[in-house]
Amino acid sequence: MSGSGKLPNIATDAVLKQSVPIPDDFEKVQGMDFSQDYAYNSRATDLIASMRNMGFQASSVASACDIINEMNSWRGKFKDELPEHERGGEFDDEGRQKATIFMGFTSNLISSGLRETLRYLVQHKKVSAIVASAGGVEEDLIKCLAPTYMGDFALPGKSLRDQGLNRIGNLLVPNDNYCKFEEWIVPVLDKVLQEQEEAMEKLGKDGLNADSAAIWTPSKLIDRLGKEINDESSVLYWAHKNKIPIFCPAITDGSIGDMLFFHTFKASPQQLRLDIVADIRKINSMSMEASRAGMLILGGGLVKHHICNACLMRNGADWAVYINTGQEFDGSDAGARPDEAISWGKIKAEAKSVKVYADVTVVWPLIVAATFAAKRP
Amino acid sequence: MSGSGKLPNIATDAVLKQSVPIPDDFEKVQGMDFSQDYAYNSRATDLIASMRNMGFQASSVASACDIINEMNSWRGKFKDELPEHERGGEFDDEGRQKATIFMGFTSNLISSGLRETLRYLVQHKKVSAIVASAGGVEEDLIKCLAPTYMGDFALPGKSLRDQGLNRIGNLLVPNDNYCKFEEWIVPVLDKVLQEQEEAMEKLGKDGLNADSAAIWTPSKLIDRLGKEINDESSVLYWAHKNKIPIFCPAITDGSIGDMLFFHTFKASPQQLRLDIVADIRKINSMSMEASRAGMLILGGGLVKHHICNACLMRNGADWAVYINTGQEFDGSDAGARPDEAISWGKIKAEAKSVKVYADVTVVWPLIVAATFAAKRP
Amino acid sequence: MSGSGKLPNIATDAVLKQSVPIPDDFEKVQGMDFSQDYAYNSRATDLIASMRNMGFQASSVASACDIINEMNSWRGKFKDELPEHERGGEFDDEGRQKATIFMGFTSNLISSGLRETLRYLVQHKKVSAIVASAGGVEEDLIKCLAPTYMGDFALPGKSLRDQGLNRIGNLLVPNDNYCKFEEWIVPVLDKVLQEQEEAMEKLGKDGLNADSAAIWTPSKLIDRLGKEINDESSVLYWAHKNKIPIFCPAITDGSIGDMLFFHTFKASPQQLRLDIVADIRKINSMSMEASRAGMLILGGGLVKHHICNACLMRNGADWAVYINTGQEFDGSDAGARPDEAISWGKIKAEAKSVKVYADVTVVWPLIVAATFAAKRP
Amino acid sequence: MSGSGKLPNIATDAVLKQSVPIPDDFEKVQGMDFSQDYAYNSRATDLIASMRNMGFQASSVASACDIINEMNSWRGKFKDELPEHERGGEFDDEGRQKATIFMGFTSNLISSGLRETLRYLVQHKKVSAIVASAGGVEEDLIKCLAPTYMGDFALPGKSLRDQGLNRIGNLLVPNDNYCKFEEWIVPVLDKVLQEQEEAMEKLGKDGLNADSAAIWTPSKLIDRLGKEINDESSVLYWAHKNKIPIFCPAITDGSIGDMLFFHTFKASPQQLRLDIVADIRKINSMSMEASRAGMLILGGGLVKHHICNACLMRNGADWAVYINTGQEFDGSDAGARPDEAISWGKIKAEAKSVKVYADVTVVWPLIVAATFAAKRP
């Protein structure tokens, strides 16, 4: 064809196909307005506002902020207007219903400098319950004993092991921190075991009922650890103080597990027990009693699935924000979009939900600064 | 400059910099040899051989096969040559030490058609212990009751929920399957509770010792479920049959958790308990007793961390194969390379290890066909 | 709530929601059948068959094979049945219309051991046109002069630069290879320049018409390089031999660009020209003339967009297979699913298309072995 | 083992291994300080400061800001202190050497609301040269004619095509925009062709020398388009105004290519030519003349490779910031870390460099607000 001939209509028809008229409610893509002062060294709320119609994940970050503001500010009826059986759930200081917010985070976020931000949320009662992986519990405690340091993703493992430096991404945790943790936690475990055994001896005819003092669960142990650490820099401390349960069904999967393992030898033939059935009852009950439920899920794996599953018990969360780097193509739960959770009844079909595809450390400080921490409490 | 002048040396020096002589042991990149018959409709072992020096993840897949073949074929001493305290671990039919292989997989892999391949490995005792997430346990059982179907990643959640079809990536699980599961499991839970209560009543002066019949753990419950399902298509069935423990510390995080939760109301004031401390002791003990330890970790999250953590108890695994799509940039455990585990002492510095960056479904059938299933048993 | 009370209906209603009856055409998820001999050291076609209903990307790989088999085997009318103006496009040896297949690949795939597989496809005329990035052209030539070697993703850059070893993922290309390439290509560029200048002198009154010998385009230069290299291991050699054009609009973006840059100084005031307008006319014309069009796109970036854009000229490709690791969340073209191309008219709405989320090296050898190379030619 | 025995030393030795003393220069991981007012609705510079020791990609974002501030503020000698042949490169208003900054961006970023931010940088001469993909050029022009709208990643392609709405991630571009673009650009192409032909007729004995007016290159055409669009919202307008070249070797790979293709039929037998050799000479020359060179690469593919390749001509850039979502495991150039470029001599071994793993829209507004736009100009 080249060199002569006339252009077939097929190409121009395809390339120059006309559009339908654009509906009035279409929103134009638009970024920062540099004619305004706000654009310079912007404040978080102005940055977020400029990202709303920017497209791609900028828009998702802005949506996440909208959803968070909505779940944070929602208020229902006053407690005394409600029939007795609806008086579960969360209430604000004036006695009005507010949303029960489940926040999940993975271990690495506590290892990172997000710990301070997560603690802020717990300290100021911005969330109602937490689901964490084992490391998310113990690293919070360990940081009260000794710091974690900046490292590099490329530091070679053998040399680090020789030096007793454990790597988490571009962070380093000296192994001595775990030695200090062992020294701190063993007496606590001794006490807990003693209390378990004393309660066992007092067991009545009903045996190990749900609330028996002889039953320790991960959330009960975590609450106790938060009390014992008694350190205002700690997420667990504030969770204990503010009665915000921290669920961690696989609490044995990490350093606490190592310590519990060692402790079984030390305490033999006695042995501390951690029952996970009472905890699933507890988290599911919170979900069912909630007047509204919001999910803030930072990272994937168990912490994501566990909160979603709890929200199935109420036929779906009312708001959901996921932030992680998982992709759906491999069928992983981490990668599943909120729409997959809708198919399961874990998020309501009419709920507002968003997934932000990003490393949490990159977006969470900005999101919190523009929402929960937009004003000093 | 354009239009005249002479080329400065800096550019030619940079572009045409000379190399050092290439060492003799450098391997040339080379792909399929199409002069050979094997290249056509290749067998798995020939495909893998052609991938060894192909580069990128093709080479990683080939390395994974090498490592698997090595951990599978390693043999140590005869049992009766060993002192009494070293007679833990695994032995082959001739009484020689073999590697203890820990295999982990996430729930979605059991939902997928990999279940048949995973079952093959358990049926033929190719692995010594399993770590699974909750869905990895229950979906195996549920598939004995009703099938999972092919779907599409883009099916809309609301419409699926209206139809009672739950989506997992591009798979669909009818919600009726969970109803059938409830019918099947409730009588089992009733029996388990009864056994727990009977054992509690017989408790002697030592209380709830480690091996007390009154203590149920996730692995003990899973073993029982495998026995009760009594179906040769099941991974759990063969695990029970072959005494391969399946660890699942967060077994409450899924449908079994829902059923346990419901059961607490049905059974009240009695309540089934699941203790996770005895299980961490059990998996850690397997790791310490192993003469050699290999890790096959399919997917990320808890199943990856739990196996690695167990291998810390022996100061590191001797072989490690990770297959997942996680990336290290967000500091996630799923994304961590084997070299990060070396820094923690979870993999030995001198161990052979590889991470394959791929959806497991894409590579695992090929890998198994070229290694464990290279020959019909 | 814990400890007493009865389970609210909301939870059981949500968890035990009934499904609609399952339609008859739903396909069950099913993996390898280990009761069959084929499962052991499987052949490529059997592996693919077992992956079809496996879910996740296993199913996508199987779909890719189905689509490839369909585009490869499609036949239309005999040439002499067609009106004159429809006799463009591709025909098989018996004179029947066959699909025009556009294959795109990125540079790294030629650096890897996939080069042999890509060459096989070109040698045996399995594809009609190629779009490559600059490195995808030059690395094919350079491999005729000296090998690329296996390396490691973690080798440190500074030490490699000191040794003159260039890293591409886990591959190493000695910089001497580029020196050898310079020696080889400069005389070719000299000849090409001379031909350009001679043709310029003979220009008639019409000036630089479309097919003027004075006009060199990237595809014309690449064809010449394929002729000059005269090496049966080369993709370019076979493309020249089989008249399969290789399009590379940004051919200056790599070592050939470096050489052309140096050559402008050497040849000054003369200068070789490479016109890209004539090439866009050529590829678009191929698309418009094709009776059917298939796309095989390995990797992302320019090679993906360029083939899609060419297929817009025919109002959409009839088959499309994408294989890459890009994700849609960042709005990148690499990450866009085939469905995005449908919105643009680049793939027909009724076309069969699939995206496989995988490193190409992991799946392409298997896919080719199960399709194009299922039988020895 | 369970139930008795004593804990082997191997476990405690491995778990409680001691660390070396921590060097004084180790930096502690630390996040936002909520005792300070700055933490609330933070300004960009305070957010970035709090991210510096936060770990993972938060730290990478902070590093990117440090590197940008350094390349932006670096100053060398006064022009008149320099020998004649070193007076290339960039100078500030006071006549002091400053860094030549190459910025690359992919098409989708111009489609998104980042266009305003990119325009700001060009308008205020924060960068010296740009490399864009074809869409990055044309979408800037098209946005002067009609807006792009917010859409959704999940909108189905067939229905969009029926409506003439083209999807780019979660954005929509009405196809009418391309019709308007055609109306606008055809007269420009007519003029350009006329100028080309007039210059051809005047060709002297030297033929098509490097700077011949008869030679049009992509960068020359883009400069002309920027002049013709004459719209202050446009990146191209300001690039023209500020003499910042925009390189786009594959400018035919998009709508401009479609228009050039159509134009070859309209103008036949004449044809506009676009030579890419003169452009590679131009960008490489800028790199060699630069007193210092910095790279800001937003996205992957050609725009990344082209800037890196240009910097090889000077034996490496002095600063490099990559922001994209590519991963190294597949050997893609997009995924390659800066350290890979060091092996090639494209980044100096002693350069400061960072790769931020993020969708550009999520981090670039924050980065710009904390660096280039920390103060109103």
Side-chain angles (χ1 to χ4, degrees):
Chain A
M1 163 181 284
S2 32
S4 72
K6 126 175 188 319
L7 179 65
N9 288 341
I10 185 172
T12 42
D13 288 354
V15 171
L16 302 176
K17 181 181 166 70
Q18 282 200 300
S19 318
V20 295
I22 300 307
D24 286 344
D25 63 345
F26 266 40
E27 292 179 56
K28 293 182 189 175
V29 172
Q30 186 70 36
M32 281 246 181
D33 180 356
F34 284 94
S35 69
Q36 305 297 321
D37 281 339
Y38 88 80
Y40 300 89
N41 200 9
S42 319
R43 289 203 170 274
T45 50
D46 291 319
L47 260 170
I48 293 297
S50 84
M51 291 164 82
R52 187 154 288 116
N53 285 346
M54 207 176 260
F56 311 151
Q57 295 309 302
S59 302
S60 300
V61 169
S63 289
C65 291
D66 293 343
I67 293 172
I68 287 170
N69 281 334
E70 204 177 299
M71 70 171 89
N72 189 35
S73 62
W74 180 86
R75 290 295 179 275
K77 295 189 177 162
F78 283 94
K79 195 166 189 170
D80 48 22
E81 297 169 0
L82 294 165
E84 191 71 33
H85 69 281
E86 286 180 21
R87 294 187 181 180
E90 303 274 307
F91 293 87
D92 68 10
D93 292 343
E94 297 168 12
R96 292 186 64 189
Q97 288 177 308
K98 59 177 197 169
T100 295
I101 299 181
F102 293 91
M103 178 165 73
F105 50 76
T106 49
S107 170
N108 55 334
L109 303 186
I110 289 292
S111 300
S112 82
L114 282 184
R115 176 178 176 245
E116 284 73 24
T117 303
L118 298 171
R119 189 208 64 223
Y120 166 80
L121 299 176
V122 175
Q123 182 178 356
H124 295 280
K125 306 185 191 175
K126 303 296 189 185
V127 298
S128 319
I130 285 173
V131 178
S133 51
V137 170
E138 64 215 18
E139 297 294 331
D140 176 66
L141 297 166
I142 291 168
K143 279 189 163 182
C144 299
L145 308 174
T148 296
Y149 295 94
M150 294 299 300
D152 187 290
F153 287 102
L155 295 174
K158 183 188 180 330
S159 144
L160 290 175
R161 180 62 176 165
D162 289 343
Q163 298 172 78
L165 297 173
N166 306 299
R167 186 169 68 79
I168 299 172
N170 59 352
L171 310 180
L172 293 175
V173 191
N175 207 59
D176 281 354
N177 297 18
Y178 298 94
C179 304
K180 288 175 187 159
F181 184 53
E182 196 231 4
E183 286 167 31
W184 178 81
I185 203 171
V186 167
V188 179
L189 296 180
D190 287 343
K191 276 190 280 182
V192 168
L193 176 64
Q194 190 186 341
E195 293 175 27
Q196 173 188 282
E197 296 303 303
E198 286 169 5
M200 284 292 289
E201 285 172 18
K202 293 180 200 151
L203 277 186
K205 65 173 172 28
D206 290 340
L208 285 165
N209 284 355
D211 296 324
S212 166
I215 297 295
W216 283 80
T217 65
S219 72
K220 186 172 163 183
L221 176 63
I222 293 167
D223 181 72
R224 177 63 162 271
L225 295 172
K227 181 183 174 194
E228 298 280 350
I229 196 71
N230 195 25
D231 182 322
E232 296 198 353
S233 77
S234 158
V235 174
L236 264 67
Y237 169 82
W238 287 107
H240 165 73
K241 201 94 175 171
N242 291 332
K243 300 189 176 21
I244 296 169
I246 300 182
F247 297 100
C248 180
I251 196 172
T252 50
D253 179 38
S255 182
I256 292 177
D258 301 346
M259 302 312 162
L260 286 165
F261 170 56
F262 293 169
H263 199 258
T264 61
F265 290 90
K266 180 169 184 276
S268 180
Q270 293 182 330
Q271 186 169 313
L272 188 58
R273 306 285 165 192
L274 288 173
D275 170 43
I276 54 175
V277 178
D279 262 0
I280 191 71
R281 176 155 173 160
K282 188 171 173 187
I283 189 172
N284 284 354
S285 298
M286 281 192 76
S287 160
M288 290 193 302
E289 292 178 354
S291 40
R292 291 287 186 284
M295 317 200 293
L296 295 179
I297 304 182
L298 312 177
L302 183 141
V303 306
K304 175 169 181 280
H305 190 271
H306 207 55
I307 291 178
C308 287
N309 202 74
C311 285
L312 169 58
M313 298 303 133
R314 56 180 288 102
N315 205 22
D318 301 279
W319 301 276
V321 173
Y322 295 175
I323 308 178
N324 71 45
T325 60
Q327 301 298 330
E328 70 173 353
F329 71 83
D330 63 1
S332 61
D333 187 68
R337 291 177 287 126
D339 197 56
E340 184 171 312
I342 290 173
S343 80
W344 289 84
K346 293 168 180 174
I347 298 178
K348 289 192 178 12
E350 64 276 15
K352 290 192 183 159
S353 66
V354 72
K355 173 167 177 182
V356 179
Y357 293 82
D359 171 16
V360 184
T361 65
V362 159
V363 295
W364 193 239
L366 173 58
I367 289 173
V368 170
T371 56
F372 292 120
K375 287 183 193 162
R376 185 147 194 170
Chain B
M1 163 180 285
S2 33
S4 72
K6 113 176 199 320
L7 178 65
N9 288 340
I10 184 172
T12 42
D13 288 355
V15 171
L16 302 176
K17 182 180 165 71
Q18 282 201 301
S19 319
V20 295
I22 300 306
D24 287 344
D25 63 345
F26 266 41
E27 292 179 56
K28 294 181 189 175
V29 173
Q30 186 68 38
M32 281 245 181
D33 179 356
F34 284 94
S35 70
Q36 305 297 321
D37 281 339
Y38 88 82
Y40 299 90
N41 199 9
S42 319
R43 289 205 170 273
T45 50
D46 291 320
L47 260 170
I48 292 297
S50 84
M51 291 164 82
R52 187 153 288 116
N53 285 346
M54 207 176 262
F56 310 151
Q57 294 309 302
S59 303
S60 300
V61 169
S63 289
C65 290
D66 292 343
I67 293 171
I68 287 171
N69 282 333
E70 204 176 300
M71 70 171 89
N72 189 35
S73 62
W74 180 85
R75 291 294 179 275
K77 296 192 178 161
F78 284 94
K79 195 168 189 169
D80 48 21
E81 297 170 357
L82 294 164
E84 190 69 33
H85 68 281
E86 287 180 20
R87 293 187 180 180
E90 304 273 306
F91 293 87
D92 68 10
D93 292 343
E94 297 167 14
R96 292 186 63 190
Q97 288 176 307
K98 59 176 196 169
T100 295
I101 299 182
F102 293 91
M103 179 165 72
F105 50 76
T106 48
S107 170
N108 55 334
L109 303 186
I110 289 293
S111 300
S112 83
L114 282 184
R115 176 177 177 247
E116 284 73 23
T117 303
L118 298 172
R119 189 207 65 221
Y120 166 80
L121 298 177
V122 175
Q123 182 177 356
H124 295 280
K125 306 185 190 176
K126 303 295 187 185
V127 298
S128 318
I130 286 173
V131 178
S133 51
V137 170
E138 63 215 20
E139 297 294 331
D140 177 66
L141 297 166
I142 292 168
K143 279 190 162 181
C144 298
L145 307 173
T148 296
Y149 295 94
M150 294 300 300
D152 188 291
F153 287 102
L155 295 173
K158 182 187 179 333
S159 143
L160 290 175
R161 180 62 177 165
D162 289 343
Q163 298 172 78
L165 298 173
N166 305 299
R167 186 169 69 79
I168 300 173
N170 59 354
L171 310 180
L172 292 175
V173 191
N175 207 59
D176 281 354
N177 296 18
Y178 296 94
C179 304
K180 289 175 186 157
F181 184 53
E182 196 231 4
E183 287 167 32
W184 179 81
I185 204 172
V186 167
V188 179
L189 296 180
D190 286 344
K191 276 189 279 182
V192 168
L193 176 64
Q194 190 184 343
E195 294 175 26
Q196 173 188 282
E197 296 303 304
E198 287 169 6
M200 282 293 290
E201 286 172 18
K202 293 180 200 151
L203 278 187
K205 67 171 170 36
D206 289 340
L208 286 165
N209 284 355
D211 296 324
S212 167
I215 298 295
W216 283 80
T217 65
S219 73
K220 185 172 164 184
L221 176 63
I222 293 167
D223 181 72
R224 177 63 162 271
L225 295 172
K227 181 183 174 195
E228 298 279 350
I229 197 70
N230 195 25
D231 181 323
E232 295 197 354
S233 77
S234 158
V235 174
L236 264 66
Y237 168 82
W238 288 107
H240 165 73
K241 201 93 176 171
N242 291 332
K243 300 189 176 20
I244 296 168
I246 300 182
F247 297 100
C248 180
I251 196 172
T252 49
D253 180 38
S255 181
I256 291 177
D258 302 347
M259 303 311 162
L260 286 165
F261 170 55
F262 293 169
H263 200 257
T264 61
F265 291 90
K266 179 168 185 277
S268 180
Q270 292 182 331
Q271 186 169 315
L272 188 58
R273 306 284 164 193
L274 288 173
D275 169 44
I276 54 176
V277 178
D279 262 0
I280 191 70
R281 176 155 172 158
K282 188 170 173 188
I283 189 173
N284 285 354
S285 298
M286 282 192 75
S287 160
M288 290 193 302
E289 292 179 354
S291 40
R292 291 288 186 284
M295 316 199 295
L296 296 179
I297 304 182
L298 312 178
L302 183 140
V303 305
K304 175 170 181 281
H305 190 272
H306 208 54
I307 292 177
C308 286
N309 201 75
C311 285
L312 169 58
M313 298 304 132
R314 57 180 288 101
N315 205 19
D318 301 279
W319 302 276
V321 173
Y322 295 175
I323 308 178
N324 71 45
T325 60
Q327 301 299 329
E328 69 173 353
F329 71 83
D330 62 1
S332 61
D333 188 67
R337 289 177 289 126
D339 197 56
E340 183 170 312
I342 290 173
S343 80
W344 289 84
K346 294 169 179 174
I347 298 178
K348 288 192 179 11
E350 64 276 15
K352 290 192 183 160
S353 66
V354 72
K355 173 167 176 183
V356 179
Y357 293 82
D359 171 17
V360 184
T361 65
V362 159
V363 295
W364 192 242
L366 173 59
I367 289 173
V368 170
T371 56
F372 292 120
K375 289 184 191 161
R376 185 147 195 167
Chain C
M1 164 181 283
S2 35
S4 71
K6 111 178 198 321
L7 178 65
N9 288 341
I10 184 172
T12 42
D13 288 354
V15 171
L16 301 176
K17 182 180 165 70
Q18 281 201 301
S19 318
V20 296
I22 300 306
D24 287 344
D25 62 346
F26 265 41
E27 293 179 56
K28 294 181 189 176
V29 172
Q30 186 69 37
M32 281 247 182
D33 179 357
F34 283 94
S35 70
Q36 305 297 321
D37 280 339
Y38 88 82
Y40 300 90
N41 199 9
S42 319
R43 289 206 169 274
T45 50
D46 291 320
L47 260 169
I48 292 296
S50 84
M51 291 163 82
R52 186 154 289 115
N53 285 346
M54 207 177 262
F56 311 151
Q57 295 307 302
S59 302
S60 300
V61 168
S63 290
C65 291
D66 293 343
I67 294 171
I68 287 171
N69 281 334
E70 202 176 301
M71 71 170 91
N72 188 35
S73 63
W74 180 86
R75 291 296 178 275
K77 295 192 177 160
F78 284 94
K79 194 168 191 171
D80 48 21
E81 297 170 358
L82 295 165
E84 191 69 34
H85 69 278
E86 288 181 18
R87 294 187 180 179
E90 304 272 308
F91 293 88
D92 68 9
D93 291 343
E94 296 168 14
R96 292 186 65 188
Q97 289 177 306
K98 59 176 197 171
T100 295
I101 298 181
F102 293 92
M103 178 165 73
F105 51 76
T106 48
S107 171
N108 56 333
L109 303 186
I110 290 292
S111 300
S112 83
L114 282 184
R115 177 178 176 244
E116 284 72 23
T117 303
L118 298 172
R119 189 207 65 222
Y120 167 80
L121 298 177
V122 174
Q123 182 178 354
H124 294 282
K125 306 185 191 177
K126 303 295 188 186
V127 297
S128 317
I130 286 172
V131 178
S133 51
V137 170
E138 64 214 20
E139 297 294 331
D140 176 66
L141 297 166
I142 291 167
K143 279 190 164 181
C144 299
L145 307 174
T148 296
Y149 296 94
M150 295 300 299
D152 187 292
F153 287 101
L155 295 173
K158 183 186 179 332
S159 144
L160 290 174
R161 181 61 177 167
D162 289 343
Q163 299 173 76
L165 297 173
N166 305 299
R167 186 168 68 80
I168 299 172
N170 59 352
L171 310 180
L172 293 175
V173 191
N175 208 58
D176 282 352
N177 296 19
Y178 297 94
C179 304
K180 288 175 187 157
F181 184 53
E182 196 231 6
E183 286 167 31
W184 179 79
I185 204 172
V186 167
V188 180
L189 296 180
D190 287 343
K191 276 190 279 184
V192 168
L193 176 64
Q194 191 185 340
E195 293 174 28
Q196 173 187 282
E197 295 304 303
E198 286 170 5
M200 282 294 290
E201 285 172 18
K202 292 180 201 150
L203 280 185
K205 65 173 172 29
D206 290 342
L208 286 165
N209 284 353
D211 295 325
S212 167
I215 298 297
W216 282 81
T217 65
S219 74
K220 186 172 161 184
L221 177 63
I222 293 167
D223 180 72
R224 177 63 161 271
L225 295 172
K227 182 183 173 194
E228 298 281 350
I229 197 70
N230 195 26
D231 182 323
E232 295 198 352
S233 77
S234 158
V235 174
L236 265 66
Y237 168 82
W238 287 106
H240 165 74
K241 202 93 175 171
N242 290 334
K243 299 190 177 19
I244 296 168
I246 300 181
F247 298 100
C248 180
I251 195 173
T252 48
D253 179 38
S255 182
I256 292 177
D258 302 346
M259 302 311 163
L260 286 165
F261 170 54
F262 293 169
H263 199 257
T264 62
F265 291 90
K266 180 170 184 277
S268 180
Q270 293 182 331
Q271 187 170 313
L272 187 59
R273 306 285 165 191
L274 288 173
D275 170 44
I276 54 175
V277 178
D279 262 1
I280 192 70
R281 176 157 172 159
K282 189 171 172 186
I283 189 172
N284 284 354
S285 299
M286 283 192 74
S287 160
M288 290 194 303
E289 291 178 355
S291 40
R292 290 287 187 287
M295 318 199 294
L296 296 178
I297 304 183
L298 313 177
L302 185 140
V303 306
K304 174 168 182 281
H305 190 272
H306 208 54
I307 291 177
C308 286
N309 202 73
C311 286
L312 169 58
M313 298 303 132
R314 58 179 289 104
N315 205 20
D318 301 279
W319 301 277
V321 173
Y322 295 175
I323 308 178
N324 71 44
T325 60
Q327 301 298 331
E328 69 174 353
F329 71 82
D330 63 0
S332 62
D333 188 67
R337 289 176 289 124
D339 197 56
E340 183 171 312
I342 289 173
S343 80
W344 289 84
K346 293 168 179 175
I347 298 179
K348 288 190 179 10
E350 64 276 15
K352 290 192 183 160
S353 66
V354 73
K355 173 165 177 182
V356 179
Y357 293 83
D359 171 17
V360 185
T361 65
V362 159
V363 294
W364 193 240
L366 173 59
I367 289 173
V368 170
T371 56
F372 292 120
K375 289 183 190 162
R376 186 147 193 167
Chain D
M1 165 181 284
S2 35
S4 71
K6 113 177 197 322
L7 179 64
N9 288 341
I10 184 171
T12 42
D13 288 353
V15 171
L16 302 177
K17 182 180 166 71
Q18 282 200 300
S19 318
V20 295
I22 300 306
D24 288 344
D25 63 344
F26 266 41
E27 294 179 55
K28 294 181 189 175
V29 172
Q30 185 71 35
M32 282 246 182
D33 179 357
F34 284 94
S35 69
Q36 305 297 320
D37 281 339
Y38 88 83
Y40 300 90
N41 199 9
S42 319
R43 290 205 170 273
T45 50
D46 290 319
L47 259 170
I48 293 296
S50 84
M51 291 164 82
R52 187 153 288 116
N53 285 347
M54 208 177 260
F56 311 151
Q57 295 308 302
S59 301
S60 300
V61 168
S63 289
C65 291
D66 293 342
I67 294 172
I68 287 171
N69 282 334
E70 202 176 301
M71 71 170 90
N72 189 35
S73 63
W74 180 86
R75 291 297 179 273
K77 296 192 179 162
F78 284 94
K79 194 167 191 171
D80 48 21
E81 297 169 359
L82 295 164
E84 191 68 33
H85 69 279
E86 287 180 19
R87 294 187 180 179
E90 304 273 308
F91 294 88
D92 67 10
D93 291 343
E94 296 168 14
R96 292 185 65 187
Q97 289 177 307
K98 59 176 198 170
T100 295
I101 299 182
F102 293 91
M103 178 166 73
F105 51 76
T106 48
S107 170
N108 55 334
L109 302 186
I110 289 293
S111 301
S112 83
L114 281 185
R115 178 179 176 244
E116 284 72 24
T117 303
L118 298 172
R119 190 208 65 222
Y120 167 80
L121 298 177
V122 175
Q123 181 178 355
H124 294 281
K125 305 185 193 177
K126 303 296 189 186
V127 298
S128 318
I130 286 172
V131 178
S133 51
V137 170
E138 64 215 19
E139 297 294 331
D140 176 66
L141 297 165
I142 291 167
K143 279 190 163 181
C144 299
L145 308 173
T148 296
Y149 296 94
M150 294 300 299
D152 188 291
F153 286 101
L155 295 173
K158 183 185 179 334
S159 143
L160 290 175
R161 180 63 177 165
D162 290 343
Q163 300 172 76
L165 297 173
N166 305 300
R167 186 168 69 79
I168 300 172
N170 58 353
L171 310 180
L172 294 175
V173 191
N175 208 59
D176 281 353
N177 297 18
Y178 297 94
C179 304
K180 288 175 187 159
F181 184 53
E182 196 231 4
E183 286 168 31
W184 179 80
I185 204 172
V186 167
V188 180
L189 296 180
D190 287 344
K191 277 191 278 183
V192 168
L193 177 63
Q194 191 185 341
E195 292 175 28
Q196 174 188 280
E197 294 304 304
E198 287 170 4
M200 283 293 290
E201 285 172 20
K202 292 181 201 153
L203 279 186
K205 66 173 171 32
D206 290 341
L208 286 165
N209 284 355
D211 296 326
S212 167
I215 297 296
W216 283 80
T217 64
S219 73
K220 186 173 162 184
L221 176 64
I222 292 166
D223 180 73
R224 177 63 161 270
L225 295 172
K227 182 183 173 193
E228 298 280 350
I229 197 71
N230 195 26
D231 182 322
E232 295 197 354
S233 77
S234 158
V235 174
L236 265 66
Y237 168 82
W238 288 106
H240 165 73
K241 202 93 175 172
N242 291 332
K243 299 190 177 17
I244 296 168
I246 300 182
F247 297 100
C248 181
I251 196 173
T252 50
D253 179 39
S255 181
I256 292 178
D258 302 346
M259 303 311 164
L260 286 165
F261 171 54
F262 293 170
H263 199 258
T264 62
F265 290 91
K266 180 169 185 278
S268 181
Q270 291 182 332
Q271 186 169 313
L272 188 58
R273 305 286 164 191
L274 287 173
D275 170 44
I276 53 175
V277 178
D279 262 1
I280 192 70
R281 176 154 171 159
K282 190 171 172 187
I283 189 172
N284 285 353
S285 298
M286 282 192 74
S287 159
M288 290 194 302
E289 291 178 355
S291 40
R292 292 287 187 284
M295 318 199 295
L296 296 179
I297 305 182
L298 313 178
L302 184 141
V303 307
K304 175 169 182 281
H305 190 271
H306 208 54
I307 291 178
C308 286
N309 202 74
C311 286
L312 169 57
M313 298 303 132
R314 58 179 288 102
N315 205 21
D318 301 280
W319 301 276
V321 174
Y322 296 174
I323 308 178
N324 71 45
T325 60
Q327 301 298 331
E328 69 174 354
F329 71 82
D330 63 0
S332 61
D333 188 67
R337 290 176 289 125
D339 197 57
E340 182 170 314
I342 290 173
S343 80
W344 289 84
K346 294 168 179 175
I347 298 178
K348 287 194 182 4
E350 65 276 14
K352 290 191 183 159
S353 66
V354 73
K355 173 167 178 181
V356 179
Y357 294 82
D359 171 17
V360 185
T361 65
V362 159
V363 293
W364 194 239
L366 173 59
I367 290 173
V368 170
T371 56
F372 292 122
K375 289 183 190 162
R376 185 147 193 168

